[in-house]
Amino acid sequence: MTFQRRSVLGGFAALATLPIIPAHARPTRRQRIGVIGGGIIGASVATHLARAGADVILFEKSRPAAGATEKSVAWINPVVNDDHYMKLRLESMNAWAQDDRAYGMKAIWGGSISWAYANKNDALREKAALLETTSDKPRILSEADISRASPGIWPGKDVAFAFQTARDGHVDPVFATQRYLAAAKRYGARILYPCEVTAIRIEGGAIKGVTTTRGDFDLDHLVSVTGTDTPRIMALMDRKLELAHKPGLVVHTAPRPVTTKLVYEASSILEFKQYADGRYLTSFTSGPPRLPQHAEILQHQMPFPDAMLAQHHGEMLIARTAEYMPAIAGAQPVRILLGFRPYPLDNRPIAGPVPGVKGAYVIVTHSGITLAPILGRYAAQEIVQGRDATVLTPYRPSRYIDA
Ligand SMILES: Cc1cc2nc3c(=O)[nH]c(=O)nc-3n(C[C@H](O)[C@H](O)[C@H](O)COP(=O)(O)OP(=O)(O)OC[C@H]3O[C@@H](n4cnc5c(N)ncnc54)[C@H](O)[C@@H]3O)c2cc1C
């Protein structure tokens, strides 16, 4: 099986997919590549590396998708206020369509509607203007159009700007991660969990292996895809990296009759969607408000300080969402998740070789659900084929990590 190559967007490379190397055609000594992290990006990287013929072993300290991935809204979208980055996301959406078909991700491709009120509409207008320049042109909506385009949605009065996109999608991120890992295994990768990487062996400035809670492993390459733990992994290589601290709250409800396939963004306040099995997911777009009871959460990663606070947030979030989508009113919160976004300081992906450590590669980014397919492909291209993905030039680790 080989993927079709097709040109995606002006200025961007043809979708980077490497052919599967049949066992008999592989070099006798395959490259041994360790992947640290079993979130969606690590799982995609492991899949695409193994598919390209590498001898892959993935180490996950807890369980697949246990990090930011399972706490994600998992909206696959191009929308960002940066032209180059938007095109990378669109390219990844094409790769998503391929991986959805190849690995059975059950993504829901229903598009999205975003709206803003007067005080927030500049940023949304800017994003729509950038989308206009791509193949995914937005449809500008009036206040009344929103409920016509998606019956059951009531944005309220004073909508200053709104648009609909046709190609956005969403997934169950835990299921998608499991599907990638199943594919990686079929391509020969080993997936170890729980298995924490506790030390990294570097000799003569090059990766030689790792020490884990399940023993030592010799490696030729090491890929860190450890989300908010990335600074800790970089420290094991004597490298310094700082990320922003961005908590986020997500609530899953008990299933209700299915009413929509779209993802909604209400004025940078809420994002919400419904899964095919009827569960709603709703989330505050920005983190918790700066209240005294959130002081700890706003400072460092931690579980909810107590179950009552979690329950209160769950019910409040559902009630806020019901102002726009009455169908969710009174739904039971069944999972109330406090997540921490892997967030580079400039909110752009970090992807590429670790400066000064031969054989080490790092990926850490927000919007990792959107970007997982394309970053997996480019990592495989760069590591297995040794061919630079020039489209990643603006996202290199060297802008934050010194050699
Ligand atoms: C509230 C919220 C909403 C979001 N909404 C969206 C959205 O709508 N769309 C979108 O595209 N993105 C969204 N994101 C971002 C997205 O979820 C992340 O970018 C993505 O999940 C990152 O995946 P990852 O595999 O890099 O990291 P993670 O999922 O965090 O996985 C890292 C893994 O590394 C493991 N690990 C760490 N250290 C070690 C070690 N020493 N040894 C072994 N294993 C280790 C951890 O256990 C973890 O499982 C959202 C995130 C949050 C929190």
Side-chain angles (χ1 to χ4, degrees):
M1 181 174 69
T2 49
F3 283 134
Q4 263 184 327
R5 294 176 70 85
R6 60 179 160 144
S7 177
V8 182
L9 295 156
F12 270 62
L15 204 51
T17 48
L18 304 182
I20 301 172
I21 311 296
H24 67 270
R26 290 174 182 168
T28 35
R29 160 80 157 73
R30 291 190 290 149
Q31 297 180 71
R32 297 162 307 178
I33 306 180
V35 177
I36 319 177
I40 194 165
I41 305 181
S44 166
V45 168
T47 300
H48 290 286
L49 287 171
R51 189 176 186 279
D55 177 7
V56 176
I57 180 158
L58 181 144
F59 311 102
E60 165 53 51
K61 70 175 176 180
S62 164
R63 60 189 152 72
T69 296
E70 74 171 0
K71 287 110 184 167
S72 186
V73 174
W75 174 14
I76 300 164
N77 73 85
V79 179
V80 72
N81 57 356
D82 171 309
D83 181 52
H84 192 280
Y85 186 21
M86 185 175 280
K87 286 179 176 150
L88 182 69
R89 294 168 75 120
L90 279 162
E91 193 183 3
S92 199
M93 286 167 67
N94 289 335
W96 249 114
Q98 289 184 341
D99 287 359
D100 187 17
R101 279 195 300 276
Y103 308 128
M105 305 295 206
K106 297 192 178 163
I108 298 176
W109 301 105
S112 69
I113 295 181
S114 302
W115 65 88
Y117 302 102
N119 56 343
K120 295 259 172 77
N121 82 95
D122 286 352
L124 203 62
R125 281 180 198 277
E126 194 185 332
K127 290 172 183 172
L130 281 176
L131 265 182
E132 269 300 338
T133 66
T134 72
S135 56
D136 193 19
K137 301 209 183 310
R139 181 180 156 221
I140 308 302
L141 303 176
S142 70
E143 200 172 285
D145 287 338
I146 295 177
S147 304
R148 274 197 288 271
S150 187
I153 297 295
W154 306 100
K157 295 214 174 303
D158 306 325
V159 170
F161 186 68
F163 68 82
Q164 179 172 18
T165 57
R167 285 187 48 217
D168 296 22
H170 68 94
V171 281
D172 178 331
V174 177
F175 180 75
T177 303
Q178 288 164 346
R179 299 302 297 164
Y180 269 134
L181 292 177
K185 277 196 222 169
R186 286 198 300 279
Y187 294 134
R190 286 168 291 163
I191 313 294
L192 294 189
Y193 69 90
C195 180
E196 180 170 358
V197 171
T198 54
I200 296 173
R201 196 152 38 89
I202 299 171
E203 288 169 18
I207 290 290
K208 291 294 170 201
V210 290
T211 299
T212 78
T213 45
R214 292 207 195 172
D216 291 351
F217 295 83
D218 293 336
L219 298 169
D220 303 308
H221 298 267
L222 183 64
V223 188
S224 167
V225 204
T226 47
T228 55
D229 284 319
T230 307
R232 226 170 289 164
I233 298 295
M234 290 303 107
L236 295 180
M237 297 186 225
D238 209 14
R239 295 292 175 279
K240 197 164 176 286
L241 174 69
E242 197 188 334
L243 298 175
H245 178 70
K246 294 272 180 187
L249 180 71
V250 166
V251 174
H252 295 231
T253 72
R256 290 268 171 111
V258 175
T259 57
T260 186
K261 286 179 154 187
L262 281 78
V263 181
Y264 304 92
E265 184 189 10
S267 202
S268 306
I269 304 166
L270 295 177
E271 290 171 2
F272 49 99
K273 67 178 195 181
Q274 189 176 28
Y275 284 114
D277 63 7
R279 284 174 296 146
Y280 286 109
L281 178 154
T282 178
S283 168
F284 282 121
T285 309
S286 339
R290 305 205 156 266
L291 300 174
Q293 50 281 43
H294 298 151
E296 267 188 286
I297 293 170
L298 288 164
Q299 267 168 20
H300 46 76
Q301 285 199 48
M302 59 185 291
F304 264 117
D306 65 68
M308 270 175 59
L309 185 67
Q311 186 67 19
H312 166 74
H313 276 87
E315 286 166 9
M316 183 182 64
L317 193 41
I318 289 170
R320 284 297 303 274
T321 310
E323 293 171 20
Y324 305 114
M325 185 171 59
I328 200 177
Q332 281 305 308
V334 290
R335 295 189 79 202
I336 305 164
L337 301 167
L338 178 60
F340 295 88
R341 303 168 195 268
Y343 211 91
L345 296 176
D346 60 2
N347 188 20
R348 301 289 177 271
I350 292 175
V354 176
V357 187
K358 196 163 174 277
Y361 198 96
V362 59
I363 302 176
V364 55
T365 185
H366 189 258
S367 298
I369 309 294
T370 303
L371 295 169
I374 203 66
L375 293 179
R377 282 165 170 75
Y378 281 138
Q381 174 187 314
E382 297 204 303
I383 298 167
V384 180
Q385 290 191 337
R387 209 158 44 84
D388 267 12
T390 50
V391 72
L392 293 184
T393 303
Y395 310 111
R396 293 308 190 188
S398 50
R399 73 190 193 280
Y400 287 119
I401 304 174
D402 291 332

